Amino acid sequence: MSIAVIDHDPIIERELALVRDPVGADFPGYRNHVYRVLTYALHFLDEDAQWRAPIAFALAHHDVGLWAQRALAYLEPSEAHAELARQARAPELDAQLVRDLIHWHHKITPFRGPNAEVVNAVRKADWVDASGGRVAKGLSRKQIVTVMTALPPLGFYETLMRLPGELNHGRTLGGLAVMAAHVFKA
């Protein structure tokens, strides 16, 4: 089965333009990460267009707390950032759904709650991408390679390894421990 790669979305472009400065040099990698996760999530949802806007909006903000607040425990800062942006530019989007998409995107086990199907699609998609495709969540190697070729990492995985040390006084392992304790949910 093929996968439809999404490399442009007006909501993502609008929202990312507003976080470009805090993300800085990591912006190209983060941008492509957002699009890879959107691509995988919509694939898991059989391209159901009703979910594209809230997913796109949430993904543009889902990791922003790492840069904007320089926080290893970045879920809540990212949620707060997204909520301010939602109130200002996308009040029609369901606030709880946007929050859940961000808050649970690193959940290890399936999410159980409102809109579980869409929250789990984003959760699985982020696991696929954050693992560089090592955790496939049912996607074929060919599908992952197709997406990674169209939307290359551009340093994203190096950023994931650099920031824990950079945001924890040069202590990478301690930074990874802080991040794991606050970001990964059972």
Side-chain angles (χ1 to χ4, degrees):
M1 173 191 264
S2 65
I3 189 165
V5 175
I6 301 167
D7 62 3
H8 187 334
D9 180 89
I11 294 170
I12 289 174
E13 293 302 318
R14 178 190 72 214
E15 296 304 310
L16 285 183
L18 299 170
V19 300
R20 186 179 200 116
D21 286 343
V23 176
D26 297 327
F27 183 81
Y30 182 59
R31 179 185 182 277
N32 278 7
H33 167 63
V34 167
Y35 278 109
R36 287 190 303 270
V37 176
L38 177 65
T39 294
Y40 297 138
L42 286 178
H43 180 78
F44 290 136
L45 293 166
D46 296 321
E47 309 303 327
D48 189 340
Q50 73 172 314
W51 302 116
R52 183 165 173 158
I55 292 172
F57 184 87
L59 287 177
H61 297 279
H62 79 290
D63 293 336
V64 163
L66 276 167
W67 295 278
Q69 280 75 37
R70 307 292 292 164
L72 289 171
Y74 63 87
L75 293 178
E76 288 78 8
S78 296
E79 291 167 34
H81 190 275
E83 178 54 18
L84 290 173
R86 189 197 65 78
Q87 289 174 11
R89 293 181 298 284
E92 72 283 359
L93 295 179
D94 180 333
Q96 186 63 48
L97 175 57
V98 170
R99 181 195 159 300
D100 285 345
L101 290 170
I102 295 170
H103 189 80
W104 300 110
H105 80 271
H106 286 300
K107 188 166 178 7
I108 297 165
T109 59
F111 172 78
R112 302 202 191 294
N115 299 305
E117 181 183 17
V118 68
V119 173
N120 283 317
V122 170
R123 180 186 64 78
K124 291 186 330 184
D126 194 78
W127 276 103
V128 171
D129 196 59
S131 73
R134 289 173 193 82
V135 175
K137 298 290 186 182
L139 294 174
S140 71
R141 187 75 198 133
K142 182 178 179 186
Q143 290 169 319
I144 293 168
V145 168
T146 296
V147 174
M148 294 289 272
T149 300
L151 298 162
L154 303 177
F156 180 71
Y157 301 109
E158 292 81 0
T159 298
L160 292 180
M161 294 312 298
R162 186 192 84 244
L163 285 175
E166 186 178 299
L167 300 179
N168 192 46
H169 314 289
R171 295 186 299 270
T172 301
L173 287 178
L176 286 168
V178 168
M179 187 181 281
H182 292 280
V183 173
F184 296 102
K185 311 287 184 188

